[in-house]
Amino acid sequence: MALTYSKMTELGSQAPSFTLPISNPTDSGISMVRLRDYANGNPIAVVFMCNHCPFVIHIEEALIQVAQACKDKGVTLIGISSNDATQFPEDSFEAMKHRAMEKQYPFPYLYDETQSVAKAYGAECTPDFFVYDSNLRLAYRGRFDETRPGSAPATGQEFLQAIDELLQFGIVTMAQRPSMGCNIKWK
């Protein structure tokens, strides 16, 4: 595991478009979804994550709760795995399907096999969070909260504060700190 910090992409940047397969555990085929499928005039949160990273595993239960809270507020959270599944088979598309079903993810979990989406977003680590406003302009990038594996349980407090500020004020005014986690496993 190589400790990596997020890049802190420039605020106001437009969300890069994508078309990716969704790890829908109830579908035996492969369904493709696009960013615009989720762009309904409300904010969208994108988290780059994977199955095996200890930083993602540490926040996973809280992320599930936070995703449901976002959904209740009209904000779509999207998970994307961009790791090289050849090096890390536990991050394969099939393993993603299994994980999404096992944990009952209340959010779409997409697979970026070519890693082009992670590169377009400037994602560096897992987890790496990006929140876009209703115009798909970057309003928040950074960490979920201050916890780390082996520390206090994750809450998603900073991420939720950013969502609440965006919904209430139309901008995020809080300090934004880089996320930290495992590096994306590039090909």
Side-chain angles (χ1 to χ4, degrees):
M1 162 179 76
L3 182 61
T4 303
Y5 289 89
S6 57
K7 185 168 138 180
M8 303 303 281
T9 303
E10 184 177 341
L11 293 174
S13 301
Q14 185 71 38
S17 185
F18 60 72
T19 301
L20 294 172
I22 186 169
S23 61
N24 182 345
T26 61
D27 186 358
S28 59
I30 295 178
S31 298
M32 302 298 282
V33 295
R34 299 172 303 267
L35 174 64
R36 69 175 177 228
D37 294 335
Y38 302 107
N40 57 6
N42 291 328
I44 292 176
V46 177
V47 57
F48 287 87
M49 56 186 285
C50 67
N51 290 355
H52 88 276
C53 171
F55 287 85
V56 174
I57 292 168
H58 173 72
I59 69 162
E60 186 174 40
E61 293 304 319
L63 180 63
I64 291 167
Q65 293 173 7
V66 164
Q68 187 58 55
C70 285
K71 192 179 211 179
D72 294 345
K73 296 172 190 234
V75 177
T76 300
L77 186 141
I78 301 165
I80 299 176
S81 178
S82 299
N83 276 358
D84 178 11
T86 303
Q87 293 180 65
F88 292 88
E90 59 268 47
D91 292 334
S92 71
F93 189 60
E94 286 303 314
M96 290 172 59
K97 285 184 184 183
H98 177 74
R99 185 62 163 230
M101 184 170 52
E102 174 190 11
K103 294 293 186 171
Q104 297 181 6
Y105 285 168
F107 56 88
Y109 191 22
L110 312 179
Y111 186 45
D112 177 23
E113 183 177 12
T114 67
Q115 303 181 320
S116 62
V117 176
K119 290 175 183 171
Y121 276 74
E124 296 286 335
C125 60
T126 56
D128 208 349
F129 290 87
F130 300 82
V131 178
Y132 293 88
D133 67 15
S134 58
N135 296 313
L136 297 178
R137 297 282 179 189
L138 185 62
Y140 178 82
R141 74 287 192 246
R143 66 188 191 181
F144 190 61
D145 61 27
E146 74 286 350
T147 65
R148 303 291 173 254
S151 71
T155 64
Q157 179 182 4
E158 290 176 57
F159 178 77
L160 281 173
Q161 180 181 344
I163 295 289
D164 288 342
E165 285 187 11
L166 182 60
L167 291 173
Q168 185 174 0
F169 307 119
I171 61 168
V172 177
T173 61
M174 64 184 275
Q176 299 187 27
R177 295 174 181 88
S179 187
M180 159 187 349
C182 299
N183 63 307
I184 290 179
K185 306 309 184 222
W186 303 109
K187 293 181 180 183

